[in-house]
Amino acid sequence: MEKNRESGVVMETKVREILDRYPEGRTENLIPVLQDIQETDGYLSEESVLEVSRHLKMPASKIYGVATFYNQFRFAPLGKYHVQICCGTACHVLGASTVLEEIEKNIGVKSGETTKDGLFSMEVVACIGACGLAPVISINGNFHAKVTGESIKEILDNYRNQE
Amino acid sequence: MSFLINVNNKNIEARDGETILDAMKREGIQVPTLCYIKDRFPSGSCRMCVVENTKNGRLVTACSTPVEEGMNIQTHSPRVIESRKTIVELLLSNHPDDCLYCVRNRNCELQDLSEELQVRERRIKGEKNTIHLDRSGASIVRDPEKCILCGRCVRICEEVMGVACIDFIDRGSKSFIGTAFDKSINTSSCVNCGQCIMVCPTGALTEKSHFTELISMLNNPEKTVIVQYAPSISVSLAEEFGMPPGVDINNIMNAALRKIGFKYVFDTTFAADLTIMEEAAELIDRVKNGGTLPMITSCCPGWVKFSEQFYPDMLPNLSTCKSPQQMLGAVVKSHWASEKGVNPENIYSVSVMPCTAKKFEAQREEMTSMGLSDVDAVLTTRELGQLIRMYGIDIKQLAPETTDSPLGYRSSAGKLFGASGGVMEAAIRTAYHMLTGEELVRFKIEPLRGMKGCKEASIEVNGLKLNVAVVNGLANARILLDSVNRGEKDIHFIEVMACPGGCINGGGQHIGASEDAVMARMKALYDIDEKETVKVSHRNPDIIKLYETFLGKPLGDKSHKLLHTNYLKRDVLL
Ligand code: SF4
Ligand code: SF4
């Protein structure tokens, strides 16, 4: 608990640093501000959105509305293993949606979410330029090629077993 | 500059800069609208108001397209009708088909549109959304399944109420209306005003009902069920029964309430007079003894929550007076109960209010004495209409009855509470008397009357100049308070009502009333004040008696315990 609180403080100062780079009350900077925060924190926490709301003088509901409009923002911290599944054309044609379904079932969360134990997070991404490997997923930057509904189970289990 | 445009083969006048819809409205030409809100910048998002400009063959939205000279508009061409019908069919494609169980059955714009456009089959089947029903709030229930995403609630909440606790979340077919982080509304900055309910075309937004408990209490022989009603109810209830707006049916309403089974019928207006006695005394005390100024009224619970969230630094400015609803509730369960020999625990205290925020107010922790709520259940004007119909009472056949006394007699000043500016007017009348021992020569304070969002006046009392301001619509309160905080205004006393025009246009009133109807209600209150003889709260005989026999004097010990309260900064998602 104590530790969490500490990391909260650290995070807030980082958000502060980001906000200091943008003038107060200038709502047109919303997207870059959110991008910067996500870049540093990996996600948009409730506290950071509220901090942005105070700085830009913009209701939190509006910020949340804008942020959920774009796929790029997430509201849960990344899991220990961040699974990115490509849904570009090649992957789609070769069965990415079956893989996606299987991942959702296996870890129990949808794109943009993180498992309760913090082990996995998942994100659907547009073409990652590895069409030769389709359907492809990347876990913490490591690519897994020609994934199927069957093989994905094994891949995820391997990560689980490392714990 | 004005010119002519042709609409449905007839030339009509159009003015530079206005929209096609503006021009047509003036001529009484109707097209259906959904996302449109009068006097607000058009969003043009629902496309229900499309018309065909036969000059270039385009379908354009009447609400957002400016008039151009030589335009040739058809409002009901086959293409237009086809397109409107498709929009309605799409809206219905994921709508739950449970009209029969919906509070808005027969008072729903979606029903009206599908009837008007003769939608007779489900041509388009869509996936129903499964966003959860939100019953977390004390006042507002949100059912996103019935939402057609017109966005009116979002705009009213932000632009008129200055709250902005809801917005569009996500996008495309996944869009829905929700609060920040899609949390329950009770943790948001929602002030429970209910103005979103007033503009919602469907049953997606409704008030939290207390019917089940109320009916079981009415049938419980051990309970003494009493009722009070706010000053504006008597001039707005008639509309629930198809009567013209502004008809005062006070005494008929008394009869109806007794028929339903309420044992005692009190008028909240009596407590409005009581509020004035306390509030006028408080104002004088603050002015004379260097208390925090400007003093701000506290009878509107929407405004009180708003200030606790957005203006916590100004909480010392709020009058400590409870609202009339709560004052009456507190007096009933204390003084009245002991006079009558009724155990307060067996009193079930109901109020009928033009307001959804009163439901929230009644359950505030501060609004209890000795572990009992001052008020147990709050009904809106609409709900009273439902209750009267449910009991099969024909309002047109009732003989008028009077209220119960004591706690039933009222002045006409208290009645003014129902309209924006009324609390101020009533308070000035009594403060003047308290300071000078005389009565004002001219009771009517014209600049404080009417629908304007911000009104100001200066009153001379014994050589002392009292500057007062009245605002309604919380977005206007923001503007005024910010300028007070910047030191631009020297004001002693401010009245704030959350709803535009005050309680006569509250979030619990009849849905679908026009601006004229609201003005008719306001006028009805002014007429009562014009006609009646007891025009000041301090001459209300029941009030005088209550102070003589129980309270002692305004701001006395008993008053402090029963009639005053305090406010706290609220931690909500802003
Ligand atoms: S009740 Fe008022 S504050 Fe709450 S969501 Fe509706 S309009 Fe906004
Ligand atoms: S809740 Fe009602 S007013 Fe709000 S967007 Fe939905 S349908 Fe429109």
Side-chain angles (χ1 to χ4, degrees), chain B residues 404-451:
Chain B
D404 284 289
S405 193
L407 319 187
Y409 195 86
R410 57 155 184 81
S411 75
S412 69
K415 206 66 184 162
L416 293 178
F417 266 59
S420 156
V423 178
M424 183 60 77
E425 224 181 301
I428 290 173
R429 293 179 191 179
T430 292
Y432 187 90
H433 174 79
M434 285 177 174
L435 279 169
T436 63
E438 290 165 20
E439 299 294 348
L440 271 173
V441 187
R442 303 224 327 260
F443 284 111
K444 205 157 134 187
I445 306 171
E446 201 63 61
L448 301 180
R449 294 194 166 189
M451 294 288 291

Side-chain angles (χ1 to χ4, degrees), chain B residues 93-94 122-127:
Chain B
S93 71
N94 70 347
R122 183 179 285 274
R123 256 197 327 131
I124 311 166
K125 268 209 173 75
E127 206 178 305

Side-chain angles (χ1 to χ4, degrees), chain B residues 146-154 177 196 199-202 204-205:
Chain B
K146 294 181 184 163
C147 172
I148 57 172
L149 298 172
C150 68
R152 287 193 209 160
C153 55
V154 172
I177 306 288
C196 52
V199 295
C200 182
T202 72
L205 293 165

Side-chain angles (χ1 to χ4, degrees), chain B residues 214-233:
Chain B
L214 168 64
I215 286 163
S216 93
M217 290 297 167
L218 283 167
N219 290 302
N220 183 340
E222 270 165 30
K223 298 285 172 187
T224 306
V225 185
I226 68 110
V227 68
Q228 57 167 311
Y229 47 76
S232 65
I233 308 293

Side-chain angles (χ1 to χ4, degrees), chain A residues 46 49-50 53 59-62 64-65 68-69 71, chain B residues 158 164-165 167-171 181-183 573-574:
Chain A
E46 216 173 284
V49 168
L50 293 176
S53 145
S61 64
K62 300 267 132 198
Y64 189 70
T68 51
F69 185 86
N71 272 331
Chain B
E158 178 176 10
C165 63
D167 200 2
F168 285 91
I169 296 179
D170 231 310
R171 71 165 153 185
F181 309 104
D182 189 23
K183 296 227 170 161
L573 292 176
L574 293 186

Side-chain angles (χ1 to χ4, degrees), chain B residues 290-325:
Chain B
T292 312
L293 289 175
M295 184 168 98
I296 313 179
T297 56
S298 58
C299 31
C300 168
W303 149 245
V304 169
K305 184 165 186 266
F306 186 87
S307 63
E308 289 175 320
Q309 298 166 171
F310 297 109
Y311 290 90
D313 296 344
M314 293 191 89
L315 291 178
N317 296 69
L318 259 65
S319 159
T320 57
C321 289
K322 286 185 182 175
S323 72
Q325 160 177 284

